[in-house]
Amino acid sequence: MKFLRDFLDKQKPHFTKGGRFEKLHSTFDAFETFLFVPNKVTSSGAHIRDAIDMKRTMIVVVLSLIPALLFGIWNVGYQHYASHGMAYDFWPIIGFGLLKVLPILVVSYVVGLAIEFAFAQSRGHEVNEGFLVSGILIPLVMPPDVPLWMVALATAFAVIIGKEVFGGTGMNILNPALTARAFMFFAYPSEMSGDKIWIAEKADAFSGATPLGHLLVNEVDKLPTNLSMFMGTIPGSIGETSTLAIILGGLVLVITGVGSLRIILSVVAGGIGMGLLFNLWGANEYMNIPAYQHLLMGGFAFGAVFMATDPVTAAQTAKGKLIYGFLIGVMAILIRVFNPAYPEGMMLAILLMNVFAPLIDHYVVQANIKKRLKRVKAAVV
Amino acid sequence: MSTKHEKEPLFSARNRKLISNPLGMENPITVQVLGICSALAVTAKLKPAFVMAVSVTVVTMFSNLIISAMRNSIPPRIRIIVQLVVIASLVIVVDQVLKAYVYDVSRQLSVFVGLIITNCILMGRLEAFAMSNKPWPSFLDGLGNGLGYGLILIILGFTRELFGSGAIWGYSIVPQALFDFGYKNNGFFILPPMALIIVGIIIWIQRSRNPELVED
């Protein structure tokens, strides 16, 4: 570590004002602060300081995604061999999974970070950390067989149109990873839905439908068991199949205080509430499945834990978080059950509520101001 | 206007500006943000976008001309309804011409030809320009704004048809080899939201090149 610090200190003068590489100053800064907690202190005004800075926060999120990623790698391999009915060992499965998942991960990071660095450089900003998380979220919500150039295109779209246009990390209205997925969904529907794409290099005779795909055509009897949906040994996007791995990651987020438990719980409450309501209605078989099963299928758990809790795009007030989360749960199940064109409603539900989050916050704050003004008036009179 | 002035040449610098300004710094779509609805709705393909651009240009030109010629005899309190009658008559003429000569495009444009009547650019130009200027400059102003609108429509139609359908003017131009290689048409370009994003990108480029357009 010492020699790394020394090396950085030696290079630093070249990147400060007047140095040889003055123009690349923000790039140097990015690497330096990535490796070491910066020693810069705000010199004016009163500030509340947190012991943890943004890079360290982002790393916690990345760590919490590791279980889902590892399980996803295994599952991609497992689904492939299972569809061919072949005997399989642990290592070939992991090998195949790595072969499929790693390129997507690399493409997402390289394209996204290149754009982030380019924008930071041209605007003279520091490089934003936000993409460290988006870069790993994007592969996790893609199907395993997705062509790499599409991943590159979707990532570029998400970073430029979803984020940089609004001013970069912290200013975006929509969650960048979901923006990438929504772009893919509308641009290349044949690569993002149906029953062909959820298993990498699937055998032709094998049905590769996801649980939601089965439900869409009212094949309730073909649903996998609750246990396999909970463990995640089902076809689906790379990182979202295993509810167990997601709960592990969610625990990390909640214990470190990085993710909001309030949002997660209210999303779950919204989903279960809507599920129960449909049970009462019971117009078709899809409406009759037990409400808790909705939580195990598709991207519900993944969205609730990793997407809805994104601190930038979620509601900020305590009451607002409850409303925001609850409506995500309700919308997700509503879209799932009612709209045959969109088998998975979680993505659209979160993006929709992202748009509404500032409005929710506004009314929560206004209501609070009104309440307190009333109290003041009562006290004066 | 009351002072007597010398006869202006037909294409004086001032008149030329009437045409060139709306193409850039006063573009009805990217700067005034008018006529967005039809710009999103009819630009999935280049051909309907082009026909729409021509139709709107013809209507703006002649409605500006007619209203400007009538401007001194229109009672101010009913001027809007008079303007609407003129626009509506012109739109009906355009609609009939399209039906007679390019029926397939007319079918594609469907209700949006009729909706030219409600295009904000038309009313905007009549109120802001034709009501207080002479017929010839009004005619040129109509032409300029129609072209400014049409320019954006054609950029949109070109981009969206190229990436959304792999074609230009209905002819496939993306080579089959590229599709064999794994390329796919981007369905998002067919959808209206992409048109909005492209308009946004055009505005972004225009404003970063002309900082005086940026509001606080």
Side-chain angles (χ1 to χ4, degrees), chain A residues 119 149-150 153 157 160-161 165 183 186-188 190-191, chain B residues 181-189 191 194 197 201 204:
Chain A
F119 268 94
W149 67 271
M150 286 185 190
L153 198 64
F157 180 86
I160 297 174
I161 303 295
V165 160
F183 176 82
F186 288 107
Y188 307 107
S190 63
E191 302 291 326
Chain B
F181 201 63
Y183 176 80
K184 281 207 162 66
N185 285 327
N186 190 322
F188 197 25
F189 276 81
L191 304 172
M194 195 63 200
I197 291 171
I201 293 173
W204 184 12

Side-chain angles (χ1 to χ4, degrees), chain A residues 1-8 35-36:
Chain A
M1 276 302 147
K2 184 79 173 70
F3 93 95
L4 197 60
R5 183 71 258 176
D6 288 346
F7 175 75
L8 284 173
L35 295 166
F36 293 99

Side-chain angles (χ1 to χ4, degrees), chain B residues 58-110:
Chain B
V58 168
V59 175
T60 43
M61 278 183 339
F62 287 100
S63 64
N64 261 12
L65 179 71
I66 294 169
I67 290 295
S68 171
M70 291 161 62
R71 72 187 186 283
N72 294 325
S73 52
I74 300 176
R77 289 174 65 186
I78 58 159
R79 67 184 193 285
I80 301 281
I81 199 76
V82 174
Q83 291 164 3
L84 273 180
V85 170
V86 171
I87 299 174
S89 327
L90 286 167
V91 168
I92 291 170
V93 173
V94 167
D95 192 24
Q96 294 302 319
V97 170
L98 291 185
K99 277 194 180 129
Y101 292 101
V102 278
Y103 186 66
D104 55 325
V105 180
S106 163
R107 293 259 324 252
Q108 281 179 45
L109 289 173
S110 67

Side-chain angles (χ1 to χ4, degrees), chain B residues 11-28 31-32 137 140-149 151 206:
Chain B
F11 288 100
S12 64
R14 200 174 68 98
N15 283 349
R16 281 203 307 271
K17 268 224 141 74
L18 288 176
I19 301 182
S20 64
N21 263 353
L23 290 177
M25 299 298 283
E26 281 169 28
N27 190 288
V31 179
Q32 304 175 34
L140 292 181
D141 179 75
L143 174 65
N145 278 282
L147 290 179
Y149 170 84
L151 176 71
Q206 192 184 16

